[in-house]
Amino acid sequence: MLRAARLHVALLAAVTVAVCANTLANGFVWDDHQILVGNPVYEQFDLRAMFFGLGNRLEYQPLRDLSFAVDFALFGWRAWAIHLVNALLYLGVVLAVYAVCRRVARLLRPEADATKGDRAALVTALLFAVHPIHSEVTSFAVCRNVLLSGLFFFLACWAYLRHLQDSRGRVVLYGASLAFFFAALLSKATSVAFPAVLAVLQAASRERASLRRWAGLIPFAVLGVAFAVLAAEIGRRVGVVNEIIRLGEASLSSRAAAALQIPAFYLFKLTVPVGLSAEYDVAFPRSLASPAALGGALLLIALAAAAAYVRRRLPAQAVAVGWFLATLFPVLGLLSTASLVADRYVFLGSFGFCLAVAEVLAMLGTRWRAAALGLTTLVVAGWSALAVARNAAWKDDLTLFTRTIEASPGSVGPWVHLGFLSLKAGDAERALEHFGRAEALAPGIGYVGYARANLALKRGDPAAALEHSKAATSGRPHFMDALYLSGVAAEQLGRLEEAMDFYDRVLRSGEVDGSGIKGKARGRREKLRVAFEPKLASFRDQLAADPGALGPRVELALLLHRIGDRPAALAEYRELERRGAHSWQLFYDVAEAARAEGDSRLAAEYYAKCLQLEQASGACWRGLASAEWSRRRRQEAIAALQRALEVDPKDGEAMLGLGTFHFQLGEGAEARHWLEQAASASPALARQAAPYLRELGRQ
């Protein structure tokens, strides 16, 4: 049996190397340029930034960050070397899959012939090794997090199964499983599904699990929940969560409707792995009553019922279903993230699919061995060919995004990336063409204006650059790249307070900062601040001489507010209030500063004070609505916008706000009504409403 296992390992290694070999010819693509190449945290081996910050700017994944730092120390930024490490990690995952399968066979059928279990493990691992859907993980350098988390996930599972089955070293094995799980979480937070997988395995075991055994899952569950909360909070802060426009992003029922449909999408892609894409253009209906959502619910019910029904007779199939569903749960779109579906999201879940297919082939082999062997060979060979071809799609950015457009013609991202490639190559005409194609799919995203602003700056025309960048942000107010260009252009024109405001808006933008543009804006703002120090010092000197003087304090507070030093501005505003200043403008300025600082409670308090002095202020009602929405007081926010419309029935911004609020709640009819009203109010509002109306049109 040991000799057979060694042969199996050798075969798995040979097949995995053959499938992954052409990835070594690939370069860096897509997010590799923003997250990986040139990252100073990796180049400086900054362990503090990796383990006590976000070394990749987006997610807390210190083990991936550490592995890239080691790569740079050994090889520099050589793409082949990083792809080689990824290929070796993938081989490790495949061998761990084989080891887990052998242990699962012993758990489910302890009385069965071990040779049969080893053969089933070999087929499962072979299918896993060659599946084309894993090409993204092996070819995309930054997917190192998926490989590391997958490796530690399967090692944790193997150690836990040994803990259940071996009579010696159980405490050590339990500790090893917990440690591997912790390492998986430090690599990628989607590993939080591990306790659910252990529960599936224990439920399917031939031996009835004791209460003590179930209690043994508690430390895993606590660790998983802690990391899930941490990941969600980090995602919210950096913009990974709620980064994009998606119907019903504030509505649990809407997100649940999409979640019901996602397993069917992945099952289809796993079964028929063609038309794979780096960015899918699929749109899931957002109503629980939609045929697609109902069909997805029926499929899940059928899978769960089938697994329960065959749990004793076909326990491996029950485990396959349970594993697939458990590992998919963290990536079902219940958090609104940039990509609702992606090949890398189903990496762990694909093991359940491969296990199910291997068990079907094994059952076929009990009666028609030659047919089962031939079918297995055909599937492995076919998937291998598809995987090698798919690896080649990740050769370079041009190849990747061209192939993505072929597979997902409705996807916006590839056209945007091709536009940036053309800009980098100095082909302005082609860049504008690509950005124009992107805007045709998603009106209002602003890339045409951004490209024109970029070109204007390069030819030394900051006035034209400022005009174009402002146009770019008219439909997308938080477009960081365009806001940054606006700041640079305003700075070159000598409009320093305006430049400071643009840089401040960059820092407050909720979009994902994958290229470190917030750091650039922060640096430029700090340099500009020096120009304002004499005026600030003058106001402070006047206040030192006469602390009760309101004029200099008002000017100081307003200047601090304009240059983005809101904490200091708030302190001066509150001091003015303490000294008896009680004006509408003061309260409004406090509210605006507090909202910009993210203090929604204080903002709502001062907007309310504004309204006590002036009920007919649409700006205050809109500000109050924004603050209440941030506090998750949905109905209060909607009521505030309705009051704004009572003040001015033609208030387009209030209409737009109502449209977006109803949109996020999944209330499509109401959202469409108000968005169309806002779009008819002004061209600028029409550009802001366009992405929402486009999404509604796809439902």
Side-chain angles (χ1 to χ4, degrees):
M1 189 170 69
L2 183 60
R3 183 172 178 273
R6 288 174 178 171
L7 289 174
H8 291 172
V9 168
L11 176 61
L12 289 170
V15 170
T16 304
V17 169
V19 169
C20 293
N22 68 330
T23 64
L24 273 63
N26 292 346
F28 293 120
V29 295
W30 201 1
D31 287 347
D32 293 341
H33 304 294
Q34 284 75 43
I35 294 175
L36 176 58
V37 180
N39 188 327
V41 172
Y42 304 152
E43 293 179 347
Q44 298 165 17
F45 217 99
D46 189 345
L47 291 174
R48 182 184 180 86
M50 294 178 209
F51 284 89
F52 298 99
L54 301 180
N56 54 73
R57 305 187 190 97
L58 297 178
E59 299 174 272
Y60 184 66
Q61 297 174 347
L63 289 190
R64 180 184 71 169
D65 296 336
L66 178 61
S67 74
F68 282 145
V70 172
D71 284 349
F72 178 78
L74 294 176
F75 310 113
W77 295 127
R78 292 180 173 84
W80 68 265
I82 290 176
H83 286 305
L84 175 61
V85 174
N86 278 8
L88 293 174
L89 285 171
Y90 186 60
L91 173 58
V93 173
V94 170
L95 297 181
V97 165
Y98 175 68
V100 167
C101 283
R102 295 180 72 198
R103 286 286 166 179
V104 168
R106 285 183 56 184
L107 178 75
L108 302 181
R109 296 187 183 277
E111 76 288 350
D113 182 2
T115 304
K116 291 182 180 179
D118 286 357
R119 284 200 297 265
L122 173 64
V123 174
T124 302
L126 273 174
L127 295 173
F128 187 92
V130 303
H131 203 292
I133 210 165
H134 295 161
S135 177
E136 178 173 326
V137 174
T138 57
S139 303
F140 192 11
V142 296
C143 279
R144 174 76 60 82
N145 54 356
V146 182
L147 291 167
L148 284 169
S149 67
L151 177 61
F152 291 126
F153 192 99
F154 285 108
L155 287 176
C157 189
W158 170 80
Y160 192 84
L161 289 171
R162 282 199 60 184
H163 152 74
L164 295 180
Q165 296 164 349
D166 293 359
S167 57
R168 293 193 300 177
R170 288 191 169 186
V171 174
V172 173
L173 288 166
Y174 181 87
S177 179
L178 197 59
F180 283 134
F181 176 43
F182 186 56
L185 291 169
L186 291 177
S187 304
K188 189 170 176 62
T190 50
S191 299
V192 295
F194 184 67
V197 166
L198 293 186
V200 167
L201 291 170
Q202 290 194 167
S205 173
R206 287 287 181 175
E207 298 179 13
R208 185 172 181 178
S210 65
L211 184 61
R212 181 179 180 182
R213 183 176 291 184
W214 286 110
L217 301 185
I218 293 175
F220 293 93
V222 170
L223 192 57
V225 169
F227 262 80
V229 172
L230 175 66
E233 178 60 18
I234 291 174
R236 185 189 65 79
R237 291 193 178 192
V238 303
V240 173
V241 175
N242 282 338
E243 175 211 19
I244 60 170
I245 293 171
R246 189 173 294 131
L247 178 63
E249 63 182 8
S251 166
L252 180 59
S253 65
S254 177
R255 284 176 279 157
L260 290 172
Q261 300 164 65
I262 290 174
F265 172 87
Y266 284 130
L267 281 174
F268 178 77
K269 287 297 179 184
L270 287 165
T271 306
V272 188
V274 295
L276 299 178
S277 178
E279 184 176 304
Y280 290 102
D281 57 357
V282 61
F284 296 104
R286 288 301 184 126
S287 170
L288 287 171
S290 67
L294 292 174
L298 288 174
L299 175 63
L300 293 177
I301 292 170
L303 287 173
Y309 181 73
V310 302
R311 185 169 67 92
R312 293 302 177 191
R313 189 163 55 91
L314 301 171
Q317 296 287 22
V319 166
V321 172
W323 184 295
F324 177 74
L325 296 179
T327 53
L328 272 192
F329 185 78
V331 292
L332 286 180
L334 294 173
L335 289 176
S336 188
T337 54
S339 299
L340 196 57
V341 289
D343 292 349
R344 61 188 178 274
Y345 292 170
V346 77
F347 185 70
L348 291 174
S350 65
F351 168 76
F353 176 81
C354 293
L355 177 60
V357 174
E359 286 298 315
V360 169
L361 291 170
M363 291 167 61
L364 182 65
T366 59
R367 297 187 64 181
W368 300 288
R369 186 173 182 180
L373 181 60
L375 184 57
T376 302
T377 303
L378 182 64
V379 171
V380 170
W383 284 1
S384 297
L386 289 172
V388 171
R390 182 63 188 152
N391 292 345
W394 293 83
K395 179 182 178 182
D396 52 46
D397 282 320
L398 180 61
T399 304
L400 174 63
F401 297 127
T402 302
R403 297 280 184 86
T404 302
I405 289 169
E406 292 171 0
S408 303
S411 187
V412 176
W415 288 112
V416 172
H417 291 297
L418 287 176
F420 278 112
L421 285 177
S422 298
L423 267 184
K424 187 177 180 181
D427 190 342
E429 187 174 339
R430 180 63 63 87
L432 288 171
E433 177 189 344
H434 289 149
F435 287 137
R437 295 290 294 271
E439 293 215 18
L441 292 167
I445 58 175
Y447 282 106
V448 170
Y450 167 79
R452 287 176 174 157
N454 202 303
L455 294 169
L457 272 180
K458 286 182 178 179
R459 67 172 182 264
D461 189 352
L466 186 58
E467 181 182 348
H468 289 309
S469 58
K470 283 183 175 180
T473 56
S474 65
R476 185 178 164 191
H478 304 294
F479 186 4
M480 282 195 299
D481 299 83
L483 289 170
Y484 180 76
L485 286 186
S486 295
V488 173
E491 193 176 340
Q492 291 182 9
L493 290 168
R495 293 150 63 171
L496 300 188
E497 284 192 19
E498 192 174 353
M500 290 286 278
D501 179 63
F502 282 122
Y503 295 141
D504 186 57
R505 287 170 64 188
V506 171
L507 297 176
R508 290 189 283 121
S509 172
E511 293 191 357
V512 170
D513 180 21
S515 57
I517 200 165
K518 287 188 175 182
K520 296 178 184 177
R522 187 176 291 107
R524 296 190 78 109
R525 193 180 72 163
E526 290 306 312
K527 288 181 180 179
L528 277 184
R529 184 187 169 92
V530 176
F532 295 95
E533 285 301 330
K535 186 177 284 189
L536 291 171
S538 173
F539 290 139
R540 286 175 175 138
D541 289 344
Q542 293 178 54
L543 288 172
D546 183 6
L550 296 183
R553 195 175 299 280
V554 169
E555 293 297 326
L556 175 61
L558 289 174
L559 181 58
L560 288 167
H561 194 159
R562 287 196 296 271
I563 66 175
D565 192 349
R566 285 179 299 276
L570 275 170
E572 296 299 336
Y573 286 140
R574 302 297 290 273
E575 181 63 20
L576 282 166
E577 184 183 12
R578 192 181 70 81
R579 290 179 179 273
H582 292 81
S583 69
W584 178 92
Q585 188 64 53
L586 172 64
F587 293 154
Y588 184 76
D589 288 341
V590 172
E592 289 285 284
R595 183 157 66 98
E597 278 295 288
D599 191 340
S600 301
R601 184 202 59 77
L602 184 63
E605 177 187 340
Y606 275 84
Y607 283 126
K609 287 186 177 183
C610 286
L611 292 166
Q612 288 174 4
L613 297 177
E614 177 55 70
Q615 285 281 314
S617 171
C620 277
W621 284 116
R622 292 195 302 272
L624 178 61
S626 177
E628 295 289 28
W629 186 266
S630 297
R631 299 172 70 194
R632 300 185 182 277
R633 291 161 57 91
R634 311 303 193 195
Q635 295 308 312
E636 288 82 354
I638 290 172
L641 288 179
Q642 290 170 340
R643 291 296 301 273
L645 284 172
E646 290 176 11
V647 172
D648 178 8
K650 296 182 180 180
D651 188 338
E653 291 185 36
M655 296 172 188
L656 180 68
L658 282 170
T660 57
F661 286 175
H662 286 295
F663 181 95
Q664 292 180 68
L665 291 170
E667 298 166 354
E670 283 290 311
R672 185 185 300 277
H673 168 76
W674 289 113
L675 290 167
E676 289 176 347
Q677 293 288 315
S680 65
S682 76
L685 292 174
R687 286 191 289 272
Q688 292 184 51
Y692 297 95
L693 289 170
R694 179 176 65 88
E695 183 69 16
L696 284 168
R698 298 173 65 185
Q699 299 304 313

